[in-house]
Amino acid sequence: MGLDMAMENNLTRRTVLGLFASIPLYLSSAHYAKAETAEINTTVNPVVPFTKENAVLASLNLARSFGKENIDAVNPLPLFNEFGDFIGYAVSFKQHGEPSGYAILDINCKQLFRDFTFDLGASIPLATDAAGSAIASSKALSEAEDSHEAYNLVKADPLLYRIVKQDDINLLEDILDDYTISASYLFSTFDVTYMKTWDSYYGIDQWDFVAECGRYACAVTACYVLLGFLVNYYSPDGRVNKSVYDQLWSYTNTVDIVDESGINAGSTSLGDATKGLANYCHDKYSKHGTYQVYETVTPSVITDGVEKEYGCILSVKRDGYYSHACVIEGYLNATAPNGVHGTYFIIYDGWNTAGRYIDLTPYQDESSYPFGAGLIK
């Protein structure tokens, strides 16, 4: 490697060149997932979802590889570029409760760590304006890290950052990217042992709903798509039926809002979406009038629901991100090259027409996934 980590004792701030920390196998050679479109596969061998938990683990092991046994890795802040694209995390180091450096993890950096230091008193570097005043002070950084509100960092230049409240940046398109695994990688490299899914994939792009209906809500879109599965509903002309979409909007008690892009949008709870779709199916088709809502859901609940051909709305929610509703279309069981057995869900995501395979392998041994689900029976 380009740096002898065992011999390095007094670290100053550096951009990492030729360095990849001695992270455990779980994160070594990690490729982080991005959304796969219908036109191009932008993912190369994604294995590990890039979560806050993994960012902390990677940073902690970076510190340990330099002999920093008494340092804690804490307060991961999501990091975005100047275009609002999610690119990684900034993790702070603390020793005995005091600032003791930081690590910048950037998915666009081949070595993962764009910048790091273990200097006592060092905090994540913040940008200054033309007059030399800090855009956000160290106190503001500390408050952001410790606050119950959600904050992010945005790159001001390659090694400087600004603190931004979550409401000021659009995170929606990045929620599922952390969990998405390339379908081509999955089927070409893994041993797929079982698969259960719909007979055909049904995808409509977000902008089709906006164009035809003048507004968009992910939960209403999920309900609209599920009609195709539950009652075989398809618009006669192949376009979005505004009348049906508006009825579902009402049935699900969706609240009108205007999102960051100025689009007329809607906010819907998981419970209202599930109940609303069940009531709509019962009233219009005399079918599927029962439902069940799980604010947190175990893997077996979802797989059992797929096997019984229930309609399934998946609520994607993770600390620091907005919730998002999508549709479970099926699942498969597969064994990774390293021998890890996993369940991979096939979903329809209303932000684009391409299907997603989401990798929840890191949560296989937990009692519940960090997701909720609504089943329409």
Side-chain angles (χ1 to χ4, degrees):
M1 290 188 179
L3 184 64
D4 186 346
M5 290 182 278
M7 297 297 292
E8 187 73 26
N9 294 315
N10 299 311
L11 289 176
T12 57
R13 184 182 177 203
R14 67 185 71 249
T15 300
V16 184
L17 298 174
L19 168 66
F20 197 94
S22 56
I23 301 170
L25 181 61
Y26 175 64
L27 282 173
S28 65
S29 301
H31 298 275
Y32 296 105
K34 291 187 178 181
E36 187 176 22
T37 69
E39 295 81 17
I40 185 169
N41 175 13
T42 60
T43 311
V44 180
N45 296 354
V47 178
V48 182
F50 198 15
T51 64
K52 288 184 175 182
E53 296 80 9
N54 288 347
V56 168
L57 177 63
S59 301
L60 185 62
N61 280 282
L62 173 70
R64 296 293 182 266
S65 70
F66 281 94
K68 307 296 181 180
E69 298 295 333
N70 297 320
I71 281 183
D72 295 320
V74 297
N75 302 327
L77 293 177
L79 179 63
F80 296 80
N81 65 17
E82 63 272 26
F83 304 109
D85 301 319
F86 171 78
I87 58 173
Y89 296 95
V91 179
S92 294
F93 293 125
K94 289 193 175 182
Q95 188 169 10
H96 306 303
E98 297 298 323
S100 188
Y102 59 87
I104 306 297
L105 294 78
D106 186 338
I107 58 177
N108 299 311
C109 178
K110 184 177 181 180
Q111 294 83 16
L112 181 62
F113 294 97
R114 174 70 64 184
D115 180 27
F116 71 92
T117 182
F118 305 116
D119 286 349
L120 186 63
S123 297
I124 297 168
L126 302 172
T128 57
D129 60 20
S133 300
I135 298 298
S137 66
S138 296
K139 180 180 179 181
L141 175 63
S142 176
E143 290 174 347
E145 291 175 336
D146 298 335
S147 174
H148 292 295
E149 296 184 81
Y151 287 83
N152 309 290
L153 291 177
V154 176
K155 289 183 70 170
D157 74 18
L159 295 173
L160 292 174
Y161 309 92
R162 291 189 177 94
I163 296 173
V164 180
K165 278 193 175 182
Q166 187 184 96
D167 291 343
D168 297 331
I169 194 165
N170 184 9
L171 302 184
L172 292 177
E173 295 184 0
D174 301 299
I175 297 176
L176 286 169
D177 287 0
D178 286 359
Y179 300 99
T180 300
I181 183 169
S182 165
S184 59
Y185 174 63
L186 183 60
F187 281 99
S188 65
T189 310
F190 287 50
D191 179 18
V192 178
T193 57
Y194 180 79
M195 184 173 180
K196 169 76 174 180
T197 186
W198 299 4
D199 292 336
S200 60
Y201 177 77
Y202 182 49
I204 303 177
D205 190 87
Q206 166 189 359
W207 298 109
D208 291 336
F209 287 98
V210 174
E212 298 293 337
C213 306
R215 56 184 178 175
Y216 180 84
C218 57
V220 179
T221 299
C223 291
Y224 186 97
V225 169
L226 274 172
L227 285 178
F229 171 61
L230 293 171
V231 297
N232 200 32
Y233 171 78
Y234 297 96
S235 177
D237 61 4
R239 301 168 68 178
V240 177
N241 187 318
K242 183 178 185 301
S243 176
V244 172
Y245 197 76
D246 288 345
Q247 290 174 44
L248 289 170
W249 195 285
S250 177
Y251 265 81
T252 55
N253 294 321
T254 298
V255 178
D256 291 274
I257 60 173
V258 178
D259 73 4
E260 298 91 338
S261 303
I263 296 173
N264 293 321
S267 174
T268 320
S269 72
L270 175 62
D272 281 341
T274 308
K275 179 181 178 180
L277 179 56
N279 288 342
Y280 184 89
C281 289
H282 178 267
D283 292 349
K284 304 293 183 181
Y285 298 94
S286 300
K287 297 180 178 180
H288 305 293
T290 60
Y291 66 92
Q292 193 162 1
V293 177
Y294 299 84
E295 292 299 331
T296 57
V297 62
T298 58
S300 60
V301 169
I302 298 179
T303 55
D304 181 65
V306 172
E307 290 293 334
K308 294 177 178 176
E309 299 188 347
Y310 294 155
C312 181
I313 300 173
L314 185 71
S315 176
V316 185
K317 51 185 180 179
R318 201 177 73 227
D319 184 36
Y321 288 77
Y322 296 112
S323 294
H324 176 50
C326 52
V327 176
I328 293 286
E329 296 212 351
Y331 76 96
L332 59 84
N333 294 326
T335 303
N338 62 2
V340 173
H341 303 286
T343 299
Y344 304 87
F345 289 110
I346 309 164
I347 68 169
Y348 162 78
D349 172 14
W351 288 322
N352 51 59
T353 56
R356 292 181 188 253
Y357 286 75
I358 54 176
D359 176 9
L360 304 181
T361 306
Y363 304 97
Q364 293 296 319
D365 297 325
E366 295 188 6
S367 60
S368 64
Y369 288 151
F371 301 95
L375 299 181
I376 299 89
K377 304 178 179 181

